[in-house]
Amino acid sequence: MNYLIKTVLSYLFFHITNVHISAQTDQEKWLAAIKDIDLPIVEITTVDGEMPTYEVVTHPEGAMGNSITNATKVPARMTIRKGKDIIYDSGEYEEKESGITIKVRGNTSALMKKKSYKLKLQTKADLLHRGNDEKYRDKNWLLLKDDNFYTIIGNKVNELMELQWTPQGEYVNVIVNGEYFGFYYLSESVERNDKCRINVDKKSGYIFEFDAYWWNEDLYVQSPILVKKSANYTFKYPDSDDITDNQLEYFTQMIYQVENSLITGTYPEHLDVESLAAWMLAHDILGNRDSGGSNIYMTKYDNTSQSKVKMACLWDFDHIFEMDDNWDRVHNSFYFKWLFPNKNSTFLSCYKDLWKNKGVKVVRSVINWLQEMQESPISSAINQSKLLDNERWHRSDATIDEQFDVAIDWFERRKVWLDMNILGKESSVDDVDSQDNNDIYRKEYYTIGGVKSSKSQKGSNIVKSYHSDGKVSTQKIFYK
């Protein structure tokens, strides 16, 4: 019996020791490898090696989602190194003087093994090192896990659609307390900064969110007409701790006027129609399945009648490219549920005009940008980092080349689908065959849902024609 016990204990000791050694070996390999990759290295060392913690909280009846609460802010020192150069050093933590705090961020995503983090600098700095221009300095930054490279794709669409603000960022490798934590996107956060982020009046402006996780916030304003428990309004600026009674009263009345105007058809008096149309079209181009957590950020510059509610930016792209043959999920919810069929067709006309005059060009520009990115030197560094990150988190995510191929295919098919569903172009086969097609050197056939087929099918088809002058035309054709 003693022999058996000793044998089992020896086996367990050997097994546990080997696992520990293996883990150490992996860490040493990863830490050595990222030094040779041409991406910045963010290194965070927390005080006493403490790690951020949180508690899981579940939604109340009638609401949605799980989230976190009591997320701890852990003091730390952070450096950013590029090659042999240290391009940022926060210094040791001293409240309001130096160092940083780090905490887990997100809702459902915070429950995953690999987490995103919020960084709070004690002294303003530009972590993206854009020269010596002080306008980029800020205290609030994010480390986002962007496992499918969707953040930079979504931000590119945001930029080309010329929304109010496009968050800036870059890919980095991250070390925490001496361990390789993976491949992250270091990003600006959604907040007021009149020089480089969202500009609203300091005394009377608002940045707010139509928020499915309102129930996990200290302060929220209930949607008075359109929605009850599924989503309500929460504040990014002013902070809920700082908002005054007068500010809260004004905001509550303003929201009632906005929502009521969707019913009466007077919404152009309260909403920046082009801003909403651009935001919605950008979502439809991307095909986001996550309507509940799509982070609907809005602004009102001040509390005067001259300023209207505008969309701030796109945010959260975890579920883009998932709405084949359909609109983005938010297309039939939020304000858009009332705007598209509204008796006042101002919004619908603006949306259609934006697709015709800008959206088509945006899709082409994104495809060109994706192809250029695949050939750029940064692509190789990102691929190397992603492979290490896959090992670190036991994942098998695609490389940037593979993912960008998926994205290019999506945008090519999406352009066809949106053309047909927004503009409603349709021709009969007889009309098409009677046209002069001598300049067409290639045709591609798609189903109504945008799925490519080898030849035309009986019934409605989408035909993409490539012309000798470089133009590409798309028509919906009915084959008898």
Side-chain angles (χ1 to χ4, degrees):
M1 181 64 70
N2 288 340
Y3 174 78
L4 178 60
I5 292 172
K6 288 180 180 178
T7 302
V8 171
L9 289 175
S10 297
Y11 169 81
L12 289 174
F13 177 81
F14 177 77
H15 180 70
I16 293 169
T17 304
N18 270 346
V19 169
H20 180 66
I21 291 171
S22 173
Q24 282 186 320
T25 303
D26 284 342
Q27 279 293 339
E28 289 170 355
K29 179 183 72 173
W30 299 328
L31 292 170
I34 62 174
K35 293 178 181 178
D36 296 324
I37 296 175
D38 191 23
L39 286 182
I41 297 174
V42 174
E43 184 161 9
I44 297 170
T45 306
T46 65
V47 174
D48 298 328
E50 181 185 357
M51 290 299 296
T53 61
Y54 58 85
E55 297 173 10
V56 178
V57 61
T58 303
H59 63 84
E61 183 179 355
M64 62 170 286
N66 295 322
S67 189
I68 61 173
T69 188
N70 296 328
T72 58
K73 296 180 181 179
V74 176
R77 178 177 186 168
M78 181 172 74
T79 61
I80 303 178
R81 191 183 338 130
K82 185 73 182 289
K84 296 181 179 179
D85 299 324
I86 294 178
I87 56 179
Y88 172 77
D89 187 347
S90 72
E92 298 293 343
Y93 180 79
E94 185 177 345
E95 188 174 1
K96 296 183 180 181
E97 295 293 333
S98 60
I100 71 163
T101 58
I102 177 173
K103 74 172 186 176
V104 176
R105 72 170 299 278
N107 293 299
T108 306
S109 62
L111 309 181
M112 307 297 182
K113 286 185 178 180
K114 183 182 178 184
K115 306 181 188 306
S116 295
Y117 297 93
K118 181 174 183 178
L119 309 175
K120 181 71 174 277
L121 314 186
Q122 297 303 292
T123 303
K124 290 182 179 181
D126 176 20
L127 299 187
L128 302 179
H129 44 273
R130 291 164 285 189
N132 295 319
D133 196 332
E134 291 190 3
K135 74 177 184 179
Y136 296 118
R137 295 182 180 181
D138 203 283
K139 290 185 177 181
N140 297 299
W141 300 83
L142 303 174
L143 284 173
L144 302 175
K145 62 183 189 70
D146 187 30
D147 295 325
N148 295 312
F149 313 105
Y150 286 171
T151 298
I152 59 170
I153 296 173
N155 282 346
K156 190 64 180 179
V157 172
N158 186 101
E159 173 192 330
L160 293 170
M161 287 301 298
E162 298 182 285
L163 287 163
Q164 186 175 168
W165 170 65
T166 300
Q168 302 299 306
E170 67 177 341
Y171 285 115
V172 297
N173 283 299
V174 177
I175 300 170
V176 179
N177 292 336
E179 290 192 8
Y180 177 60
F181 253 54
F183 171 70
Y184 280 82
Y185 189 69
L186 175 62
S187 173
E188 296 176 319
S189 59
V190 177
E191 66 169 306
R192 181 190 177 276
N193 183 323
D194 61 347
K195 297 182 177 66
C196 67
R197 298 192 187 179
I198 299 175
N199 182 20
V200 296
D201 185 72
K202 187 173 183 178
K203 293 183 178 180
S204 62
Y206 299 87
I207 304 172
F208 56 102
E209 181 180 2
F210 192 66
D211 189 359
Y213 294 91
W214 57 271
W215 49 268
N216 199 29
E217 296 292 334
D218 295 330
L219 177 66
Y220 67 89
V221 171
Q222 189 172 31
S223 172
I225 298 174
L226 306 183
V227 183
K228 293 303 179 185
K229 280 194 174 182
S230 60
N232 287 302
Y233 298 93
T234 59
F235 296 94
K236 298 295 289 184
Y237 183 86
D239 187 84
S240 59
D241 292 334
D242 301 326
I243 195 166
T244 66
D245 290 342
N246 287 339
Q247 286 175 317
L248 188 59
E249 181 181 1
Y250 171 82
F251 182 86
T252 303
Q253 292 175 351
M254 181 269 293
I255 286 299
Y256 176 83
Q257 292 172 349
V258 166
E259 292 196 358
N260 188 58
S261 73
L262 296 171
I263 297 171
T264 63
T266 58
Y267 61 85
E269 298 175 14
H270 303 279
L271 297 173
D272 186 301
V273 174
E274 186 168 352
S275 167
L276 268 83
W279 188 93
M280 185 65 257
L281 182 57
H283 265 271
D284 278 332
I285 289 171
L286 290 166
N288 196 334
R289 184 174 57 83
D290 188 8
S291 61
S294 57
N295 291 259
I296 303 173
Y297 291 117
M298 294 170 279
T299 69
K300 193 171 189 300
Y301 180 77
D302 58 26
N303 61 5
T304 67
S305 59
Q306 285 72 41
S307 75
K308 298 181 180 182
V309 171
K310 300 178 69 173
M311 305 307 291
C313 62
L314 305 181
W315 193 268
D316 192 345
F317 308 100
D318 286 350
H319 295 285
I320 62 175
F321 307 155
E322 293 184 14
M323 295 301 288
D324 273 307
D325 308 345
N326 212 332
W327 301 110
D328 182 283
R329 281 279 293 278
V330 79
H331 188 102
N332 295 310
S333 64
F334 181 48
Y335 294 172
F336 305 105
K337 181 179 180 180
W338 283 266
L339 285 170
F340 279 109
N342 203 284
K343 61 185 178 182
N344 183 338
S345 61
T346 303
F347 173 81
L348 181 59
S349 297
C350 183
Y351 176 86
K352 287 183 174 181
D353 288 342
L354 267 176
W355 170 250
K356 185 167 57 178
N357 300 323
K358 178 181 283 189
V360 175
K361 296 176 184 176
V362 165
V363 172
R364 290 173 183 159
S365 296
V366 171
I367 291 172
N368 291 337
W369 172 78
L370 288 165
Q371 292 169 335
E372 291 170 2
M373 276 288 292
Q374 286 179 315
E375 301 299 323
S376 68
I378 192 69
S379 176
S380 175
I382 290 173
N383 277 336
Q384 293 174 60
S385 299
K386 188 58 197 160
L387 291 173
L388 294 176
D389 184 90
N390 282 348
E391 285 187 34
R392 168 65 176 84
W393 294 105
H394 308 290
R395 298 173 63 95
S396 55
D397 296 320
T399 64
I400 193 170
D401 288 333
E402 293 167 339
Q403 194 59 56
F404 277 17
D405 283 341
V406 170
I408 290 168
D409 177 67
W410 166 270
F411 286 116
E412 287 176 340
R413 291 186 292 108
R414 196 63 170 173
K415 191 248 177 222
V416 174
W417 191 87
L418 290 173
D419 255 347
M420 187 269 290
N421 283 277
I422 294 176
L423 303 181
K425 291 181 178 178
E426 183 165 13
S427 306
S428 72
V429 67
D430 297 328
D431 293 336
V432 174
D433 289 343
S434 66
Q435 297 173 5
D436 181 8
N437 292 329
N438 291 332
D439 70 328
I440 297 175
Y441 65 88
R442 180 163 64 93
K443 288 186 177 182
E444 293 177 355
Y445 299 91
Y446 296 83
T447 67
I448 290 301
V451 178
K452 192 173 181 180
S453 57
S454 58
K455 59 182 180 180
S456 62
Q457 308 292 318
K458 186 176 180 180
S460 293
N461 292 247
I462 298 170
V463 180
K464 193 173 183 181
S465 301
Y466 293 82
H467 301 258
S468 56
D469 61 359
K471 293 181 180 179
V472 179
S473 61
T474 304
Q475 290 173 299
K476 183 182 174 188
I477 303 171
F478 185 84
Y479 285 93
K480 300 174 182 177

